[in-house]
Amino acid sequence: MSETAVLSIDRVSKHFGGIVAVKDMTFEVQAGEVLGLMGPNGAGKTTLLNIIAGTYSPSSGRVHFCGRDITGLPAHKLCHLGIARTYQIPQPFTSLSARQNILVATEYGGKKAAGMEHDKIFDLVNLSEQKDMPARDLATVSLKRLELARALASNPTLILLDEIAAGSTDAELPRILGIIEEIHKMGKTVVLVEHVMKVMVEAVDRIIVIDKGEKIAEGTPGEVMKDEKVIAAYFG
Amino acid sequence: MKIPRLTTLVPVVILVLLALFPLIGIPLNWLNYLFSFFIYLALATMWNLLAGYTGLIMLCPHAFVGLAGYTMAIGTWVGVPFQAGLIAGAAVAALFALLISYPVFRMKGIYFAIGTLVLPEALKAWFSFWRPVGTAYQGGGAGYAVAGVAGFTLGDKYWLALAIAAVSIFVVHIILRARLGLGLTAIRDNENTAASSGVNIFRLKLSSFLIAAFIMGIAGAAYYIHNPRIQPTSGFNISWLLLPLMATVIGGEGIEEGPIIGAAIVTFLRFLLADYGAWSLFIQGIILVVVVVVMPQGIAGLLRQVGAYRLPLRLFKAAEAKIHKT
């Protein structure tokens, strides 16, 4: 494992009964890097995020975060250590206002150095006008932004973004790219799962392509798109 | 001099008025009814903390009531005065909650509910044959009388129950406005997101579980000071679950004033229907069904929905403004 790696996945596998969701996965994410995870539906991308964020423990293999073995640690401890995630399908605290939603993350997110002010976070994700609304009254687009806001509120080192652009119109994409750029500029490390190609190609430094739980390609966006295995996985 | 806010003043005035009742010679029956009301209120408020604010459908209040009652009753036979037994009983209830927390918190939703429901049955069976001290007080059986309560007047018991109810409401009031309340609400709304936002779910659930067990225990033990004879079938009776559950659901789950309204209705019904035996439960059941169908958020939820608090609040504010001017 190299010294600058924020995240290191070492031969990680995850089985659910007889089904193999992730198989013998190995990769590293360097500090400040934006890594994209790509693959057809059911490839194991979200399972991988769930393993990194502590929702699942891997069936085998180790996960290191900033040099520390975090395999099998519960989700709240990983949040305290500096890993935050968004959910593909927004999972807000429905009875709380948007502001209280992210207050949970700042109050319980651990004793790290103070992060961004709430107002700045809301400005960044473009949710300022709805911050006092109960989350149950927010539209899906706003809930996706709230996911981002909450992830930022715990002031993470590593942020896992699960399809934040899914369902967005083309007109909204520049804004999402801008947000990822901002997060990147803050020096945070990002792992991005995305189906929207424009986001993938423009936002990430490196892509790992997964199919049926296995890594089939790795490289810059340009390299990966030309890879025969990737083309085969997507277009059969 | 700082003038206290009316929203603080009103509960204090109500509390003082209630505390004066035994002194101004109101009928003893009333004190009895109010005693029951306070006990049910404390139980319902704690049940609401778990079900309404933490998302724990906890079905074993009768375990805490029975254990606390038994601890106090047995204590009085080995030289522990019932006043100390009251606290000891609550502590035993909380200790029991701590012991069962690890296994029951591994279950979620309906499984948690069922997991907690079987515990009082097990305790009832255990206490049916376990007799740690003394001989049977009425020709056998596993019951205990609570000794040494003769000097404790109805007024004393009334004040004790009032204090327990007031403390339970105050505790929930404080929790909801503190960091703990935010975390509990987060858990209730979405456990996964709470965990990934750094909330230690086990620890927070345990906190509210222990608080509820302790206060339910003390409320249950207080009941057995007034009715100083405990048996497995009464201490671990399922009505200790049904009362707070009905009070909370009828009054409004997850709403602070819900259990107050609900406990008042449940107490009223209990004495109104006392002479009808099994019909009483039947009628209460029908009322519960009607409330759930017609007002899913309970009476307090309906009151909030129609804005019933707006006028009194506006009057408060106007009065406050007037006081500050003079």
Side-chain angles (χ1 to χ4, degrees):
Chain A
M1 191 179 108
S2 68
E3 277 173 20
T4 54
V6 161
L7 182 71
S8 158
I9 305 288
D10 185 17
R11 284 168 295 150
V12 162
S13 297
K14 178 70 188 174
H15 316 266
F16 295 101
I19 296 162
V20 181
V22 175
K23 192 176 171 189
D24 215 20
M25 185 68 64
T26 298
F27 64 85
E28 286 188 348
V29 189
Q30 305 303 317
E33 190 182 14
V34 181
L35 174 79
L37 289 179
M38 211 178 103
N41 286 327
K45 307 178 295 285
T46 298
T47 305
L48 202 50
L49 287 198
N50 280 332
I51 290 170
I52 300 169
T55 309
Y56 303 146
S57 345
S59 309
S60 63
R62 311 304 298 176
V63 184
H64 284 80
F65 175 65
C66 298
R68 179 176 170 173
D69 191 343
I70 58 160
T71 317
L73 286 184
H76 70 269
K77 283 225 176 89
L78 296 177
C79 174
H80 296 169
L81 289 175
I83 300 177
R85 59 100 49 97
T86 68
Y87 287 95
Q88 185 180 348
I89 298 159
Q91 306 277 325
F93 306 122
T94 45
S95 70
L96 298 177
S97 71
R99 195 196 290 274
Q100 288 170 315
N101 263 267
I102 77 170
L103 188 62
V104 174
T106 36
E107 283 286 325
Y108 285 94
K111 293 187 185 102
K112 297 181 296 290
M116 291 168 80
E117 285 167 29
H118 286 182
D119 284 343
K120 281 199 182 136
I121 294 177
F122 280 123
D123 277 345
L124 174 64
V125 303
N126 196 18
L127 204 62
S128 295
E129 283 170 17
Q130 292 158 305
K131 62 189 169 195
D132 291 315
M133 278 171 67
R136 73 163 70 84
D137 295 340
L138 294 177
T140 309
V141 177
S142 303
L143 288 176
K144 288 234 162 198
R145 293 172 183 164
L146 184 58
E147 287 288 314
L148 257 172
R150 195 190 57 238
L152 285 170
S154 62
N155 194 24
T157 311
L158 171 67
I159 185 163
L160 312 170
L161 304 177
D162 198 352
E163 299 202 21
I164 51 165
S168 302
T169 62
D170 282 351
E172 288 161 350
L173 291 184
R175 173 132 208 141
I176 291 167
L177 284 167
I179 293 171
I180 298 171
E181 178 68 27
E182 274 303 313
I183 296 171
H184 181 55
K185 270 191 204 153
M186 291 177 217
K188 298 190 188 302
T189 308
V190 181
V191 172
L192 184 76
V193 168
E194 197 54 78
H195 278 302
V196 179
M197 272 309 152
K198 186 176 159 66
V199 173
M200 208 39 139
V201 170
E202 291 189 21
V204 308
D205 301 319
R206 189 162 56 103
I207 291 178
I208 288 173
V209 187
I210 304 171
D211 186 31
K212 301 188 183 81
E214 287 184 274
K215 180 159 80 175
I216 58 166
E218 182 173 359
T220 63
E223 288 166 5
V224 164
M225 297 301 161
K226 291 194 205 100
D227 193 293
E228 279 176 20
K229 277 195 233 157
V230 176
I231 295 164
Y234 270 88
F235 303 107
Chain B
M1 196 189 97
K2 196 173 165 277
I3 301 161
R5 291 177 55 82
L6 275 169
T7 39
T8 318
L9 207 58
V10 169
V12 171
V13 169
I14 291 175
L15 191 61
V16 170
L17 286 178
L18 285 172
L20 287 175
F21 274 14
L23 300 176
I24 57 176
I26 66 162
L28 292 186
N29 266 350
W30 285 39
L31 290 187
N32 268 322
Y33 296 151
L34 282 167
F35 174 89
S36 299
F37 168 63
F38 296 146
I39 297 295
Y40 300 158
L41 177 53
L43 291 172
T45 304
M46 285 302 127
W47 203 77
N48 191 33
L49 173 67
L50 294 182
Y53 291 107
T54 318
L56 290 173
I57 308 299
M58 187 277 282
L59 301 184
C60 61
H62 36 329
F64 303 140
V65 168
L67 277 174
Y70 259 98
T71 303
M72 183 186 67
I74 293 171
T76 60
W77 292 102
V78 293
V80 181
F82 71 90
Q83 293 92 334
L86 192 70
I87 304 295
V92 167
L95 183 68
F96 179 72
L98 182 68
L99 288 177
I100 63 170
S101 63
Y102 189 72
V104 296
F105 286 160
R106 292 182 71 84
M107 299 182 273
K108 283 180 185 165
I110 187 72
Y111 300 102
F112 172 83
I114 291 167
T116 54
L117 185 60
V118 299
L119 295 167
E121 293 306 318
L123 287 171
K124 190 198 283 178
W126 172 258
F127 275 89
S128 298
F129 68 81
W130 189 58
R131 193 165 178 86
V133 294
T135 50
Y137 74 97
Q138 273 181 343
Y144 276 97
V146 181
V149 293
F152 207 56
T153 66
L154 180 58
D156 295 337
K157 296 169 197 161
Y158 172 92
W159 281 317
L160 175 66
L162 174 62
I164 293 169
V167 166
S168 73
I169 292 172
F170 187 66
V171 163
V172 170
H173 184 83
I174 295 294
I175 289 175
L176 292 184
R177 279 149 192 81
R179 185 170 174 266
L180 178 58
L182 184 70
L184 294 179
T185 312
I187 291 174
R188 179 196 64 188
D189 281 4
N190 197 316
E191 263 189 39
N192 280 336
T193 312
S196 59
S197 304
V199 179
N200 185 338
I201 295 191
F202 183 85
R203 187 192 293 171
L204 261 68
K205 278 184 178 174
L206 183 60
S207 311
S208 68
F209 198 47
L210 293 184
I211 292 168
F214 187 88
I215 293 184
M216 283 179 157
I218 214 167
Y223 175 87
Y224 284 105
I225 293 176
H226 189 38
N227 304 277
R229 179 185 295 178
I230 186 166
Q231 277 161 347
T233 43
S234 71
F236 300 103
N237 195 296
I238 199 160
S239 64
W240 290 119
L241 160 64
L242 296 178
L243 284 164
L245 186 152
M246 293 219 327
T248 308
V249 174
I250 291 174
E253 191 180 300
I255 302 175
E256 262 188 282
E257 67 274 21
I260 304 177
I261 299 170
I265 291 173
V266 165
T267 312
F268 183 71
L269 284 176
R270 205 170 162 76
F271 287 105
L272 195 72
L273 303 172
D275 296 336
Y276 299 93
W279 285 101
S280 157
L281 270 178
F282 180 71
I283 295 167
Q284 290 182 53
I286 288 179
I287 292 172
L288 186 68
V289 170
V290 169
V291 167
V292 168
V293 171
V294 179
M295 347 178 221
Q297 289 189 296
I299 295 172
L302 188 73
L303 287 176
R304 285 193 171 194
Q305 217 176 343
V306 300
Y309 301 147
R310 256 180 248 148
L311 183 65
L313 274 179
R314 201 184 299 154
L315 290 176
F316 276 177
K317 287 226 173 90
E320 245 172 36
K322 218 170 204 176
I323 293 167
H324 280 282
K325 225 186 260 173
T326 51

